[in-house]
Amino acid sequence: MRKFIDVSEHNTIDWAKAKKEVDAAYIRCGLRGSLAKTAPQDYKKIRTDKKWAENLRAVQEYGIPFGAYYFPTAITTEEATEGAKWFYEKIKDLKMSYPPMLDSENVWGDDREPGRANSLSREERTRLLKIVTDYFNEHGMNIGVYASASWFKSKLDMSAFPRRVRDCTWVADSTGAVDYDGYYWLHQYGKGPVAGSAKDIDLNKICATIPPVIIKEASKVQAFPTTDPVQISNSGSDENGTYRGGKAGDQTGNEWRRRDWYNRPWNCVLRHPDAAVRACIAELAIKAADNDKIGYDQNQRFTYWTELQKAGFDPSKIRTACEADCSAGVIANVRAAGYILGRKELKEISATYTGNMRSAFKAAGFRVLTDSRYTDQDDYLLAGDILLNDVHHTATAITNGRFSGAAPAEKEEYDMPEIKKGSQGKAVKVLQVILGGLNVDGDFGWKTLNAVIEFQKTHSLTADGIVGPKTWAELLGTL
C-alpha cells in the first residue's frame, strides 16, 4: 500500500528506502519557538526545521510529490505578519504538488510547560492565522490549516476564512470516523510503519476526489521556443503499433512522445485566448511526453487522469505506469490546467473523445481556427494550441511556429455569428463600433450595410454585405 506521510525534525527516515512505498509527503519547513524552558535560544524566534533541507532534498531527488507546513504559534499581529513573510519566502519558488499548510495545535513541554500560544482565545487564534492565509492568497498561492477535528470545532472559526482556504483543510482524527462537519481534503488517520524509519510515522489519506493545488499566477507565463517544424506532443499508438492490449507505461519511448508536426490532416486548431492557459497546457503536454510511465492504450485511457490527480497535476511526478489515448491525454491536461490555474470552465470541460472535443472546447472558451494557415501548415501555431481531426486524432503544439508572432496569425476565425442587413443584437453593435462613424444601436440597417461593403472592398473580400467568418477575421484583426 502506498503511503502519504508527514515528517519533521522529530522523525529520522532513510528516504532511499522510504521512496519504495511513500506516495507523497508533507515536510515541516519551520516553526516559531514556543517553549521557554526547553529551547531558550529559540524562544519566540522563527527557525527552520532542522531536517528541512535534508527532507526537501530527498523528496525532490526521488520525485516524491510533496507539500510544506509551518508551525506559527504567533500571539501578535506583528508576529503573524513576520511568519507569513518568512514562510512564503522559503517556499515560493518550490515546485510543490500540494498547498502549504499551517499547523494549529497546542504545544506542551516534557514537564507540561504550555506553549506560548496555547491560551489564545478562539477569536484571536483565528484572526492571527487569517493574517497568514490572507498574505499567501494575496500573493497568488493557496494555503490551508491543519488541526485535530476537535480543535477545529472548539479552537478555530473556519467560517472566517475564504473558500480557497477551507478547501485546503487537513484534519487529524485517529478515531476512525472524522468528527468534523466542515470540508477537508486530507485526513491524518494515525501512525504506522514506513520503510526506512525505526519508528512509526504519521499517515494520511486523500479524501477529496481531487486534492487542492497551488494556483499559478497568470503573469508568470513560460516562454516556448520557435522551431521549424513545430514540435508536438503526440500520443498515437502502443508499443506494438496498435491501439489496445499493450503493457501499461511507454515501453518504447514512442507511445507518447515529442515529434515534428505532420498533417494528419487536421480539421481545426483549438486555441485558448489566454496565454497562461496555453502555456500551462503546453508544459503539461511536454512533461507527459517525456515521462515513460505514461503510455498509450484505448482500453486503459483514463488511468493517466487517475495518476495525474495523485501527482498533484504534474505529469513528471507520475511514478505508476498508466495509459491514455490521444483525446483522453489532451482532455486530462486541459482539466489539469483548470485546477492549476483555478479555471472552473476548464476543470469541468465536457469533452470525452475527439468527436465532441470541438464543441466542448469551444464552450470552455477556446477559439476554433479552421483557416488553412492553421490546419495545413505549422508556421502560425502557438505552443498550447490543440490540433484536432474530429474523427481520428488530436495532439498539442509545444513550440511556436516561425510566423506565430506575425500579424496574419492574429486574424483568426473568431467565434462570431454571421450577420447581415436586418440582423440585430450585440454582434451588430460590435460591428458598428469597429467600423466607426455609425450609430451604435445594434440594428443592421442601410448605413451599416454600406459601411460593411466598403470595408470588404478595401480588404479584397467578397463585397456582399454579409459579415461571415472571413469578414469578422479582418474586422477583429484590425483591433
Side-chain angles (χ1 to χ4, degrees):
M1 177 181 176
R2 307 297 292 180
K3 296 175 180 178
F4 194 144
I5 65 174
D6 61 272
V7 297
S8 71
E9 63 191 37
H10 301 296
N11 304 105
T12 299
I13 183 169
D14 182 343
W15 287 98
K17 296 178 180 178
K19 68 176 183 177
K20 299 175 182 178
E21 61 182 45
V22 171
D23 196 46
Y26 261 106
I27 55 179
R28 190 169 72 172
C29 176
L31 67 156
R32 185 183 290 276
S34 184
L35 298 172
K37 293 181 180 178
T38 57
Q41 72 277 14
D42 297 325
Y43 185 52
K44 300 182 181 181
K45 299 177 183 178
I46 298 174
R47 68 170 178 85
T48 303
D49 184 279
K50 294 175 182 177
K51 293 185 179 177
W52 163 250
E54 172 187 334
N55 291 334
L56 178 62
R57 184 169 54 251
V59 294
Q60 291 175 327
E61 178 182 352
Y62 296 122
I64 299 172
F66 74 97
Y69 73 94
Y70 167 63
F71 200 166
T73 66
I75 60 174
T76 67
T77 298
E78 292 73 22
E79 287 185 348
T81 303
E82 179 192 22
K85 293 179 179 179
W86 182 89
F87 188 30
Y88 178 77
E89 290 299 320
K90 291 284 284 188
I91 67 171
K92 66 179 182 179
D93 295 322
L94 297 179
K95 294 183 177 180
M96 299 189 297
S97 297
Y98 306 110
M101 306 296 294
L102 300 175
D103 185 345
S104 180
E105 56 185 334
N106 278 337
V107 182
W108 298 96
D110 293 338
D111 59 355
R112 299 303 293 170
E113 176 200 1
R116 62 196 300 267
N118 287 18
S119 60
L120 288 174
S121 67
R122 183 171 185 256
E123 293 73 23
E124 187 65 1
R125 181 176 289 106
T126 299
R127 185 185 72 82
L128 293 170
L129 283 178
K130 192 171 183 299
I131 289 173
V132 184
T133 61
D134 285 350
Y135 184 89
F136 272 73
N137 291 169
E138 289 165 5
H139 284 75
M141 190 181 292
N142 281 359
I143 188 170
V145 178
Y146 161 90
S148 67
S150 60
W151 186 270
F152 278 119
K153 294 172 70 174
S154 62
K155 303 291 187 179
L156 281 175
D157 178 9
M158 290 304 292
S159 67
F161 295 89
R163 174 69 181 271
R164 65 186 297 183
V165 174
R166 300 198 306 273
D167 280 353
C168 297
T169 301
W170 176 10
V171 177
D173 194 329
S174 59
T175 62
V178 179
D179 185 20
Y180 177 62
D181 296 330
Y183 176 87
Y184 58 94
W185 77 276
L186 192 62
H187 173 205
Q188 186 188 84
Y189 60 87
K191 293 180 178 289
V194 174
S197 175
K199 296 182 179 180
D200 287 352
I201 291 180
D202 289 331
L203 300 176
N204 306 270
K205 61 180 178 180
I206 295 175
C207 302
T209 303
I210 298 174
V213 296
I214 298 172
I215 301 296
K216 287 191 174 181
E217 296 180 60
S219 60
K220 296 180 179 179
V221 178
Q222 178 179 341
F224 293 86
T226 296
T227 62
D228 184 18
V230 161
Q231 292 286 297
I232 65 174
S233 176
N234 187 76
S235 179
S237 60
D238 68 11
E239 66 268 30
N240 301 311
T242 56
Y243 301 117
R244 56 184 63 86
K247 186 178 179 181
D250 193 338
Q251 307 305 312
T252 63
N254 290 323
E255 295 183 49
W256 192 338
R257 63 186 172 108
R258 305 189 198 197
R259 62 168 295 176
D260 290 346
W261 177 92
Y262 67 102
N263 194 345
R264 180 63 176 86
W266 307 110
N267 303 134
C268 68
V269 166
L270 305 172
R271 172 177 291 175
H272 200 282
D274 188 333
V277 173
R278 294 196 304 271
C280 190
I281 291 171
E283 182 181 356
L284 291 164
I286 290 170
K287 289 181 176 180
D290 291 348
N291 186 351
D292 287 344
K293 289 295 184 181
I294 309 166
Y296 182 102
D297 191 306
Q298 291 182 351
N299 287 347
Q300 304 177 64
R301 62 196 299 261
F302 298 120
T303 56
Y304 169 58
W305 174 238
T306 298
E307 295 304 320
L308 187 59
Q309 295 173 67
K310 294 179 182 178
F313 304 106
D314 185 342
S316 68
K317 294 181 179 178
I318 291 177
R319 297 188 296 156
T320 299
C322 58
E323 307 274 53
D325 62 10
C326 64
S327 58
V330 169
I331 293 166
N333 286 342
V334 171
R335 284 189 178 135
Y339 284 94
I340 293 168
L341 297 171
R343 302 288 292 262
K344 184 174 185 290
E345 73 279 8
L346 302 182
K347 293 181 192 179
E348 300 176 357
I349 197 164
S350 61
T352 56
Y353 74 117
T354 53
N356 61 20
M357 280 179 61
R358 184 191 295 234
S359 60
F361 278 56
K362 183 177 179 181
F366 285 76
R367 293 170 180 162
V368 180
L369 311 179
T370 56
D371 189 278
S372 61
R373 65 173 170 260
Y374 301 110
T375 60
D376 298 350
Q377 59 177 301
D378 63 329
D379 289 338
Y380 293 99
L381 294 178
L382 296 172
D385 280 350
I386 295 169
L387 301 91
L388 178 65
N389 179 306
D390 303 80
V391 178
H392 296 294
H393 194 45
T394 184
T396 304
I398 55 176
T399 61
N400 298 309
R402 57 182 180 151
F403 299 147
S404 59
E410 297 304 316
K411 297 179 180 178
E412 303 165 359
E413 298 283 338
Y414 288 83
D415 183 21
M416 298 293 284
E418 180 180 280
I419 54 177
K420 55 188 177 181
K421 188 176 183 299
S423 298
Q424 294 182 328
K426 292 182 179 179
V428 178
K429 288 185 178 181
V430 172
L431 170 69
Q432 292 167 331
V433 169
I434 297 173
L435 290 173
L438 296 170
N439 182 25
V440 183
D441 57 4
D443 187 358
F444 199 130
W446 284 108
K447 289 185 178 181
T448 301
L449 174 64
N450 291 333
V452 168
I453 291 174
E454 185 62 31
F455 179 88
Q456 291 172 327
K457 289 179 179 178
T458 303
H459 292 80
S460 301
L461 299 168
T462 301
D464 56 6
I466 299 173
V467 184
K470 291 184 178 180
T471 301
W472 273 122
E474 292 293 338
L475 285 162
L476 294 167
T478 65
L479 295 178

